[in-house]
Amino acid sequence: MKIKFFLASLILVFISSCSSDSASPTNEDNSPPTAYMPLANGNYWVYDVDSQGTLSSDNLYVANDTIINTVTYKKMKTLNAPTGFFSNTLRNNGVRIKASSLVATGTFTIPFPGLTTPIQINLNEFSFFKETAEANTLLSTTSGTLHQTVSGYPLDIDYTLKSVAQETLATYTSNGTTYNDVKKTRLILNLKITTTASGITATLLSDQPVLTLNEYFAKNIGNVHTNSVFHYDINATIAASFGIPSTITIPQEEFLSNYHLN
């Protein structure tokens, strides 16, 4: 039952709009505005989502202009609570085109088994795509430490969320459709969880990537495909003491099935 509950919770990963501090590369970009995700009000993208054989559909759209810290963004919304990671990472978030980059301001939220509340990571001008970046270029990164108490144990949760440019593809075929001028970006979330008692620190979750998203953006369209994996490995004895599985692997696919651009 706990595994089923966690899977259901994980599907409801979401982004709620909020301003915060993110550490990002600061090289000035004077490139023309990117066309890899047109952000006119009313634009929408429909995704078929496959979560381990459970099929669903997400509808992501540009709702309106919104101002965060005096900066104008596009408010991203979905028709219903999304199940796909990509739509979740933009839902209720402020997104804008910043030269050749797409940047977001919001709060990345993801449940993790055994914790009392979801992990929440504040973002500010976090670049999740850059058209002019070469492969393996770090686009943005933000790190910090969260604190929770679980079953009387004080937990320190160290996180690092980063985006990295990947390869450029002349053509890319996804779910039977071929797209031109495609660029791939990878989003990676690393976690480490420790607890300290009587001056002794114990590692509950070693530093490891727990969520990886591979996102494919087509020019003049937007994101056409995302494949992602949620995974962790914990010592079996420690996992048992918290009543959670010692290992979990949850793959997911999101395919663009329809879109409209104004």
Side-chain angles (χ1 to χ4, degrees):
M1 292 298 294
K2 290 182 179 178
I3 295 177
K4 291 182 179 179
F5 175 77
F6 171 65
L7 292 176
S9 298
L10 187 61
I11 288 175
L12 295 177
V13 176
F14 64 91
I15 286 284
S16 58
S17 62
C18 174
S19 61
S20 61
D21 292 328
S22 291
S24 301
T26 56
N27 295 335
E28 186 175 358
D29 185 358
N30 295 315
S31 304
T34 184
Y36 274 79
M37 187 174 181
L39 291 176
N41 289 348
N43 287 1
Y44 67 79
W45 301 263
V46 180
Y47 296 96
D48 293 335
V49 183
D50 185 345
S51 302
Q52 291 188 302
T54 299
L55 305 180
S56 57
S57 181
D58 290 342
N59 191 313
L60 176 71
Y61 66 97
V62 182
N64 54 265
D65 290 356
T66 186
I67 297 176
I68 305 174
N69 290 339
T70 72
V71 178
T72 300
Y73 296 84
K74 294 297 185 178
K75 186 65 171 286
M76 306 300 296
K77 294 185 177 181
T78 57
L79 291 182
N80 300 294
T83 56
F85 281 112
F86 176 71
S87 294
N88 274 304
T89 59
L90 295 186
R91 183 193 185 204
N92 294 329
N93 197 15
V95 175
R96 73 185 183 104
I97 295 172
K98 184 179 181 182
S100 67
S101 297
L102 295 166
V103 300
T105 292
T107 303
F108 183 89
T109 304
I110 179 171
F112 194 88
L115 298 183
T116 54
T117 59
I119 293 168
Q120 295 184 326
I121 300 174
N122 293 329
L123 307 175
N124 182 32
E125 292 283 273
F126 187 92
S127 174
F128 60 94
F129 174 87
K130 187 173 183 180
E131 180 178 347
T132 58
E134 297 181 357
N136 299 316
T137 299
L138 177 66
L139 305 182
S140 276
T141 182
T142 182
S143 302
T145 301
L146 305 172
H147 306 284
Q148 289 190 26
T149 298
V150 178
S151 301
Y153 294 95
L155 304 184
D156 294 325
I157 306 165
D158 298 328
Y159 67 82
T160 298
L161 180 68
K162 65 181 179 180
S163 55
V164 182
Q166 301 294 296
E167 65 267 28
T168 298
L169 305 168
T171 61
Y172 178 72
T173 300
S174 171
N175 206 29
T177 301
T178 298
Y179 302 94
N180 299 319
D181 298 323
V182 173
K183 297 185 72 71
K184 178 183 175 182
T185 297
R186 180 169 293 158
L187 188 69
I188 305 167
L189 173 63
N190 270 63
L191 293 180
K192 178 183 179 181
I193 303 177
T194 59
T195 186
T196 302
S198 302
I200 300 175
T201 299
T203 299
L204 305 182
L205 176 73
S206 61
D207 188 1
Q208 59 188 270
V210 299
L211 179 64
T212 301
L213 280 72
N214 294 302
E215 302 173 342
Y216 296 80
F217 291 84
K219 192 171 185 178
N220 299 318
I221 296 177
N223 187 332
V224 299
H225 179 216
T226 298
N227 65 68
S228 56
V229 177
F230 179 89
H231 174 82
Y232 72 78
D233 289 301
I234 298 178
N235 176 276
T237 301
I238 294 175
S241 67
F242 283 89
I244 62 175
S246 60
T247 184
I248 279 180
T249 300
I250 303 175
Q252 187 186 79
E253 301 278 354
E254 300 167 71
F255 303 102
L256 182 67
S257 60
N258 191 17
Y259 67 95
H260 170 81
L261 304 176
N262 291 316

